[in-house]
């Protein structure tokens, strides 16, 4: 997922501007108090997972349906608690907010915090503490017939942002007296992880047009901690600040801070440059051009308790030089536009929001075009990369229609358009070439992921190629389609296929272990290909990106091991270990806080970089990190 959006803090736009405005959004509330620790419960046998041995099903192509006639369990099990999967029984290590609301769009809060069912009635996932206080129903929502749960999700997102961000901190357990546990921080964490097989994966092209795979397994796959970056302290009176944005070049790992971007040497962590900004980074594109340029949205000043500031500044950053190339703003009437998202495609920087959008030349900053607005339509956001795709919203709240438009980056002209069915309120761009869009149709996902279906679209004709059904109770991908249109996790696209993580399930046998898989869908037919890459017992696997024809995936580890990075052959689905992180307790504690759903994870050239996206003044931990980096020799 997806990164969860920060508490809305944008000032109201000038009334009377063409596109419809989103409902007003509450300000960040104070942090809830910490409740008593729930009593420990004995582990129970988890329910059986989906049948992954079945042949691919015909459309709508559900992942792996349950066997007919299999009754559901009488009640959801209470799994063992702990920071990892299959952790021995102990008190929860999370922050323990009482009666915690679900995260944005109903998703569970991260990092072992006690949870309760979201607005769709879903249960917390395996490894999360069970609720102790029932959630009160939301009522009286505006929207003129709009479905309640979608509206609730927007309002709840502001309430829960604090609960979501604090999990980015790091808590170190007391030394147990064992030799491996004497190290009580990850400082100097050069302990090696486990060894992989050292073999390189196959090169199957799978019909790919993206070149050869570049990531190769080293002779020794055990990694060491390269460096860590302490979490910045927020100004007095401010609860949370976005520190979204991280990028890799050949020599630099760059990461946003409170009001700066810092470039670190990829191996040593030495600061190579610091780019000062007047305010925090609100949004950042993951795309980096061949000459190391990227784009961000930032605030014009540091927020305060009385003035949260709006996200009005769009800038291009040179990641090699550590300098700002240009900064631009746009206006809606006489008011500056506050942007929710930004991307790069075809030499154009495009930024969008509920109150308007704009596009500039990447090299010069000259305005290229602005989306046409009317009383009922506006560009909510853009997906970039190989092409530039707009998600255009038309109609009233109760008759919303989304237009997915392949636009000319230089002129803004619509080259092809696909109109989604009315009633689909949000969509995220997973890939622009091939064009794949994710949406929660009829709010049916039920898990707050923002995804019930993927739409494979011909970006030349605008015609639907296939619709891929991905029920929320079977698949673990997430998208923040409300604010950041191209922000999706647990899914990647290549070889004209969609690779997606499944939800965790019982790994089988007499153990209480959990696992999941990465499976593939054919974008031409909408059917599963039958390919499957298993996470392994008590691991959870997440696809990160494509590497030529292969898939790079991160495996979140059990309580007693370090995480792994693997390459999945795009054709054979053979897994090759590229990295295995240290298993010492101190290092595991840092790594386990960087959940793939709520953190930024970059991997390249034998380096893994994990970072949080918020800084907060709420913590019960002695030391926190915003970045941890691993590398193999």
């Amino acid at each position: 997922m997806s990164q969860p959006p920060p508490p809305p803090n944008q000032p109201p736009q000038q009334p009377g501007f063409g596109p419809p405005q989103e409902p007003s959004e509450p300000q960040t509330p104070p942090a809830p108090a910490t409740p008593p620790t729930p009593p420990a419960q004995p582990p129970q046998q988890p329910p059986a997972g989906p049948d992954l041995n079945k042949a691919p099903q015909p459309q709508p192509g559900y992942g792996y349906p349950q066997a007919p006639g299999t009754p559901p369990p009488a009640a959801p099990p209470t799994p063992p608690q702990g920071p990892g999967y299959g952790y021995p029984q102990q008190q929860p290590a999370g922050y323990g907010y009482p009666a915690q609301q679900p995260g944005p769009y109903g998703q569970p809060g991260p990092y072992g915090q006690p949870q309760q069912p979201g607005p769709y009635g879903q249960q917390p996932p395996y490894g999360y503490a069970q609720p102790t206080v029932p959630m009160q129903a939301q009522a009286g929502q505006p929207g003129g017939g709009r479905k309640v749960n979608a509206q609730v999700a927007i309002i709840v997102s502001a309430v829960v942002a604090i609960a979501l961000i604090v999990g980015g901190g790091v808590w170190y357990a007391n030394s147990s007296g064992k030799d491996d546990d004497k190290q009580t921080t990850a400082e100097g964490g050069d302990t090696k992880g486990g060894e992989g097989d050292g073999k390189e994966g196959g090169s199957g092209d799978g019909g790919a047009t993206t070149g050869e795979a570049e990531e190769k397994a080293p002779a020794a796959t055990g990694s060491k901690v390269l460096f860590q970056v302490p979490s910045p302290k927020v100004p007095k009176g401010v609860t949370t600040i976005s520190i979204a944005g991280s990028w890799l070049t050949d020599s630099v790992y760059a990461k946003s801070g409170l009001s700066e971007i810092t470039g670190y040497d990829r191996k040593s962590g030495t600061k190579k440059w610091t780019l000062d900004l007047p305010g925090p980074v609100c949004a950042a594109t993951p795309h980096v051009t061949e000459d190391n340029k990227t784009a961000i949205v930032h605030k014009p000043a540091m927020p305060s308790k009385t003035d949260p500031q709006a996200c009005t500044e769009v800038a291009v950053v040179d990641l090699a030089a550590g300098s700002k190339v240009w900064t631009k703003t746009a206006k809606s009437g006489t008011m500056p536009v506050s942007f929710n998202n930004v991307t790069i495609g075809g030499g154009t920087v495009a930024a969008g929001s509920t109150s308007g959008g704009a596009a500039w030349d990447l090299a010069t900053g000259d305005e290229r075009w602005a989306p046409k607005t009317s009383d009922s339509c506006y560009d909510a956001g853009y997906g970039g990369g190989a092409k530039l795709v707009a998600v255009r919203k038309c109609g009233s709240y109760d008759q919303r229609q989304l237009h997915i438009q392949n636009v000319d980056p230089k002129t803004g002209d619509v080259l092809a358009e696909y109109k989604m069915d009315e009633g689909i309120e949000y969509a995220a761009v997973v890939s622009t070439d091939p064009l794949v869009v994710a949406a929660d149709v009829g709010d049916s996902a039920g898990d707050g992921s923002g995804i019930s279906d993927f739409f494979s679209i011909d970006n030349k004709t605008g015609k639907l190629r296939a619709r891929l059904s991905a029920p929320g109770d079977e698949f673990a991908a997430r998208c923040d389609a409300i604010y950041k249109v191209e922000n999706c996790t647990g899914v990647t696209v290549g070889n004209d296929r969609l690779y997606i993580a499944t939800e965790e399930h019982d790994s089988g046998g007499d153990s209480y272990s959990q696992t999941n898989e990465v499976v593939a869908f054919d974008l031409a037919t909408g059917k599963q290909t039958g390919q499957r890459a298993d996470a392994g017992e008590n691991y959870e696997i997440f696809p990160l990106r494509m590497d030529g024809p292969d898939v790079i995936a991160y495996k979140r580890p059990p309580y007693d091991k370090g995480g792994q990075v693997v390459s999945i052959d795009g054709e054979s689905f053979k897994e090759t270990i590229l990295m295995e992180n240290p298993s010492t307790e101190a290092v595991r504690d840092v790594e386990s806080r960087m959940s793939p759903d709520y953190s930024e994870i970059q991997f390249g050239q034998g380096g893994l970089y994990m970072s949080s996206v918020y800084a907060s003044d709420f913590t019960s931990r002695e030391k926190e990190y915003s970045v941890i980096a691993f590398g193999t020799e």
Side-chain angles (χ1 to χ4, degrees):
M1 179 119 330
S2 70
Q3 310 294 343
N9 51 22
Q10 303 171 2
Q13 300 297 323
Q14 181 178 4
F17 179 71
Q21 302 298 310
E22 296 292 343
S24 59
E25 298 161 340
Q27 297 299 316
T28 307
T34 303
T37 303
Q41 301 182 29
Q44 301 177 19
Q45 182 70 29
D51 184 358
L52 295 175
N53 294 318
K54 289 190 175 183
Q57 301 297 311
Q59 283 187 280
Y62 286 15
Y64 25 72
Q66 303 292 331
T70 302
T78 303
Q81 304 301 319
Y85 311 106
Y87 200 91
Q89 187 65 40
Q90 66 173 29
Q91 292 181 341
Y95 293 87
Y97 292 113
Q100 181 176 318
Q101 298 283 0
Y105 334 124
Q107 67 210 34
Y111 322 131
Q113 297 173 0
Q115 300 297 310
Q116 65 183 30
Y120 310 104
Q122 71 268 20
Q123 293 296 322
Y126 183 85
Y128 287 82
Q130 298 298 308
T132 57
V133 181
M135 177 177 133
Q136 299 300 315
Q138 302 288 335
Q141 301 296 341
R146 190 180 183 195
K147 291 198 175 182
V148 174
N149 50 3
Q151 187 74 355
V152 168
I154 300 174
I155 297 175
V156 166
S157 64
V159 179
V160 303
I162 298 172
L164 284 171
I165 55 90
V166 294
V170 178
W171 172 71
Y172 294 113
N174 292 330
S175 174
S176 65
K178 295 181 180 180
D179 291 341
D180 287 344
D181 295 334
K182 289 181 180 179
Q183 183 183 349
T184 57
T185 73
E187 305 289 350
D190 56 359
T191 305
K192 296 289 184 179
E195 298 293 326
D197 57 15
K199 298 178 181 178
E200 295 182 357
S203 60
D205 57 24
T209 57
T210 51
E212 297 295 325
E214 297 181 355
E215 305 294 346
K216 305 297 183 182
T221 56
S223 72
K224 65 179 181 180
V225 175
L226 299 177
F227 63 90
Q228 298 129 170
V229 178
S231 184
K233 294 183 178 181
V234 302
K236 185 177 181 180
V238 177
T239 55
T240 65
I241 289 182
S242 168
I243 53 172
S246 59
W247 306 268
L248 274 179
T249 72
D250 288 342
S251 60
V252 170
Y253 169 73
K255 173 61 184 172
S256 296
L258 288 188
S259 58
E260 63 185 17
I261 299 175
T262 302
Y264 301 92
D265 181 275
R266 289 184 50 145
K267 293 184 178 180
S268 68
T270 303
K271 289 185 180 181
K272 302 187 73 171
W273 51 259
T274 298
L275 172 62
D276 292 326
L277 301 171
V281 174
C282 308
T285 179
H287 302 297
V288 178
T289 64
E290 291 185 359
D291 60 348
N292 297 320
K293 304 296 195 305
T294 192
I296 62 172
V297 175
H298 66 85
K299 296 185 176 184
M302 288 298 292
S304 65
K305 189 174 183 179
T306 57
D307 187 359
Q309 296 291 327
C311 301
T312 56
E313 316 297 301
V314 178
V316 166
V317 175
D318 185 329
L319 296 172
S323 62
K324 188 186 293 186
V325 181
W326 53 255
T327 303
K328 298 293 179 179
T329 61
K331 288 187 176 180
S332 167
T334 60
M335 295 290 291
V337 175
S338 185
F339 294 104
N340 294 331
N341 55 78
V342 66
T343 195
I344 295 175
T348 293
V349 176
S353 75
T354 60
S355 56
W360 300 268
D361 182 275
L362 173 64
T364 66
D366 295 336
E367 183 171 323
R368 282 189 164 176
W369 47 267
K372 296 178 180 179
T373 59
S374 68
D375 290 339
S376 60
C377 290
Y378 64 99
D379 285 10
Y382 303 93
K387 298 184 180 297
L388 189 62
V389 172
V391 176
R392 188 167 178 83
K393 292 190 176 185
C394 294
S396 59
Y397 289 126
D398 56 349
Q399 289 184 315
R400 177 78 73 205
Q401 187 174 42
L402 301 183
H403 299 196
I404 310 301
Q405 300 175 333
N406 181 19
V407 300
D408 185 315
K410 294 184 178 180
T411 66
D413 294 339
V414 177
L415 304 177
E417 180 178 72
Y418 172 71
K419 295 181 180 180
M420 305 187 79
D421 292 341
E422 287 189 7
I424 301 175
E425 299 181 51
Y426 305 102
V429 180
V430 181
S431 168
T432 60
D433 189 21
L435 178 51
V436 180
V437 171
D440 186 356
V441 180
D443 300 325
S444 60
D447 63 346
S449 64
I451 305 171
S452 66
D453 296 82
F454 292 92
F455 296 79
S456 173
I457 301 167
D458 189 311
N459 54 22
K460 293 182 179 179
T461 66
K463 294 182 179 180
L464 181 68
R465 299 176 65 200
R467 178 169 168 174
L468 293 64
S469 182
D473 61 347
E474 296 182 22
F475 296 95
R478 292 180 177 274
C479 291
D480 178 2
I482 294 180
Y483 292 111
K484 296 177 174 60
V485 168
E486 62 176 358
N487 190 354
C488 295
T489 61
V491 62
T492 191
V493 172
N495 306 328
D496 206 32
R497 296 167 187 169
L498 181 140
Y499 302 95
I500 183 172
T502 69
E503 287 285 4
E504 282 189 288
H505 57 82
D506 178 16
S507 60
D510 297 330
S511 69
Y512 299 103
S513 61
Q514 297 275 290
T515 191
N516 79 322
E517 299 78 28
V518 170
V519 297
F521 282 87
D522 189 309
L523 293 177
T525 66
K527 297 179 181 180
Q528 284 196 54
T529 64
Q531 296 166 306
R532 182 185 75 185
D534 297 313
E537 187 172 344
N538 283 327
Y539 284 90
E540 186 177 11
I541 189 170
F542 295 85
L544 298 178
R545 63 173 176 86
M546 298 301 298
D547 175 31
D550 300 340
V551 179
I552 301 297
Y554 171 72
K555 288 186 177 183
R556 200 175 188 199
Y559 75 93
D560 57 348
K561 296 181 181 179
Q564 294 180 350
V565 177
V566 298
S567 176
I568 304 171
D569 186 280
E571 190 63 32
S572 69
F573 255 48
K574 175 187 176 182
E575 295 180 45
T576 300
I577 295 178
L578 303 178
M579 174 182 289
E580 188 163 7
N581 294 335
S583 60
T584 56
E585 182 180 5
V587 176
R588 293 198 320 266
D589 283 342
V590 182
E591 182 178 4
S592 66
R593 300 296 164 183
M594 303 294 183
S595 163
D597 279 334
Y598 306 103
S599 303
E600 294 172 343
I601 301 179
Q602 306 273 1
F603 179 83
Q605 300 178 21
L608 174 67
Y609 306 84
M610 310 177 76
S611 65
S612 53
V613 295
Y614 291 101
S616 169
D617 65 348
F618 296 108
T619 178
S620 60
R621 305 182 186 280
E622 294 181 358
K623 198 165 188 179
E624 300 179 9
Y625 293 103
S626 62
V627 175
I628 184 167
F630 300 92
T632 56
E633 292 184 350

